[in-house]
Amino acid sequence: MSLPALGPRGEGWVAIQVVLFVGIALSALVGRGWPAALEVPALLIGVTLMVLGAALVLAASAHLGSTAWTALPKPRGGAQLSRRGLYAHARHPMYGGVILVAAGWNVIFASVVGAVLTVALVLFFELKSRREETLLAERSPDYGAYRDRTRRRFLPWLY
């Protein structure tokens, strides 16, 4: 299955991503809320997921550095394929971190709308990462071997 480019470097993919992020953020306005007995546990679980997700995003982006990091699916010119650190355990750990942040947000606000949008975000990242991997394979002949060796897509050791 060939996924659309959505722009010269994939700008349309980023636009869709931003729309999903804004929708998830705004979903707090329509959250149902938790019964009083579950508010504190939900807050603790949600904040924990958000902190873990943010740490994953920061660690992965620091590993890539400013020469390779881009929100666009098309890799930057001259960027090298990362295979160490978190990238030895998951091919797209930043996406995994964003998913954890979104999930934590929805646990805190008990938003059905947010949960649906977070599932849409996961499916979107599945597609975006496949588009990105097609471009990486075209650019880096050893990407296929890396993909085969690094079985997890988003979350090291999990998914």
Side-chain angles (χ1 to χ4, degrees), residues 3 13 17 21 52-64 68-75 80-101 121-137 143-144 146-159:
L3 294 166
W13 288 97
Q17 187 173 307
F21 290 168
L52 289 171
L56 191 58
V57 168
L58 291 173
S61 64
H63 181 76
L64 282 181
W69 188 93
T70 179
L72 299 165
K74 187 173 183 179
Q80 298 297 314
L81 179 63
S82 247
R83 296 181 205 115
R84 298 174 325 193
L86 289 171
Y87 290 90
H89 305 287
R91 298 187 308 273
H92 305 277
M94 276 196 267
Y95 294 162
V98 171
I99 291 167
L100 289 177
V101 169
L121 181 69
V122 172
L123 296 173
F124 169 78
F125 278 152
E126 281 284 338
L127 295 175
K128 184 181 178 194
S129 66
R130 289 173 192 213
R131 174 68 184 148
E132 190 174 326
E133 289 184 353
T134 298
L135 295 168
L136 287 165
Y143 189 81
Y146 165 73
R147 184 182 53 231
D148 292 344
R149 185 176 60 255
T150 310
R151 305 296 296 163
R152 305 296 182 220
R153 187 177 294 266
F154 300 131
L155 296 171
W157 305 286
L158 296 175
Y159 171 59

Side-chain angles (χ1 to χ4, degrees), residues 102-126:
W105 182 260
N106 290 304
V107 169
I108 292 170
F109 292 103
S111 172
V112 173
V113 171
V116 168
L117 289 173
T118 299
V119 169
L121 181 69
V122 172
L123 296 173
F124 169 78
F125 278 152
E126 281 284 338

Side-chain angles (χ1 to χ4, degrees), residues 2 4 8 13 15 18 27 42 44 59 97 100 114 132 140-141 149:
S2 179
W13 288 97
V18 168
S27 72
L44 292 173
L100 289 177
E132 190 174 326
S140 188
R149 185 176 60 255

